[in-house]
Amino acid sequence: MARGGFTVKVEGLADLERALQELPKANAKAVLRRTMKQAGEPVAKTARALVPKEHGYLAESIDVSPKLSSRQSKLHTKESPVEMFIGPGPDPAAHLQEFGTGPGHQAQPFLRPAWDQHQAEVLDTIANMTWVEIEKAAARLAKKAARRR
């Protein structure tokens, strides 16, 4: 496991995956992006609140996004067709706040505590909202198909 990584066990994903595969690829990706964006917002909100006040500019840069900065993306290997990232913008000071630099600057984590606080909520939102979004997408597709007839 990578340093700072974690393992999560989620059950019932096979059913979700089958339901997503019944949708056109673009619709399935949109369902997952909407779901993950909403699920990640509580983590981002808490992380913004935990950033030390003297570094408020970091708080303003925290977002839930499917994209990384060009500098960040050079270090990332895409592992899934749909990914969502929660964290500050490309400012290198963010990781110095989160992890510290040693005795002169102790770590003042904001992102990991936010994740720890909301992990169960995030996973629950993803599981439940994905089903809701799949049903909405299927209904829209059915309505669109009916209009074509």
Side-chain angles (χ1 to χ4, degrees):
M1 183 184 316
R3 186 173 60 167
F6 51 88
T7 301
V8 177
K9 181 180 179 185
V10 181
E11 296 179 10
L13 291 181
D15 295 335
L16 271 177
E17 188 172 355
R18 279 192 292 278
L20 285 167
Q21 287 174 348
E22 291 179 18
L23 295 173
K25 194 173 187 176
N27 295 79
K29 282 185 173 186
V31 160
L32 291 172
R33 281 190 188 108
R34 282 192 302 274
T35 299
M36 291 189 299
K37 174 94 171 151
Q38 184 167 336
E41 282 301 331
V43 177
K45 182 177 180 182
T46 298
R48 287 182 205 111
L50 292 175
V51 169
K53 299 301 174 218
E54 65 270 16
H55 299 287
Y57 63 93
L58 287 178
E60 293 172 11
S61 74
I62 294 173
D63 196 15
V64 181
S65 173
K67 298 190 186 290
L68 292 170
S69 72
S70 60
R71 183 180 63 81
Q72 292 166 320
S73 63
K74 290 177 186 174
L75 304 171
H76 176 70
T77 302
K78 191 166 184 163
E79 296 181 20
S80 175
V82 179
E83 295 179 336
M84 194 65 63
F85 303 94
I86 305 169
D91 189 329
H95 78 277
L96 300 177
Q97 277 305 122
E98 184 77 16
F99 302 108
T101 61
H105 180 79
Q106 296 298 315
Q108 294 177 304
F110 54 93
L111 198 52
R112 182 57 187 244
W115 167 252
D116 290 343
Q117 182 178 335
H118 293 285
Q119 179 179 355
E121 176 187 351
V122 167
L123 297 174
D124 188 54
T125 299
I126 289 170
N128 294 317
M129 190 177 164
T130 302
W131 282 115
V132 170
E133 290 294 328
I134 287 169
E135 290 169 4
K136 286 180 186 178
R140 282 191 299 270
L141 288 168
K143 187 175 181 179
K144 192 174 181 179
R147 281 188 288 200
R148 289 184 184 160
R149 292 182 196 152

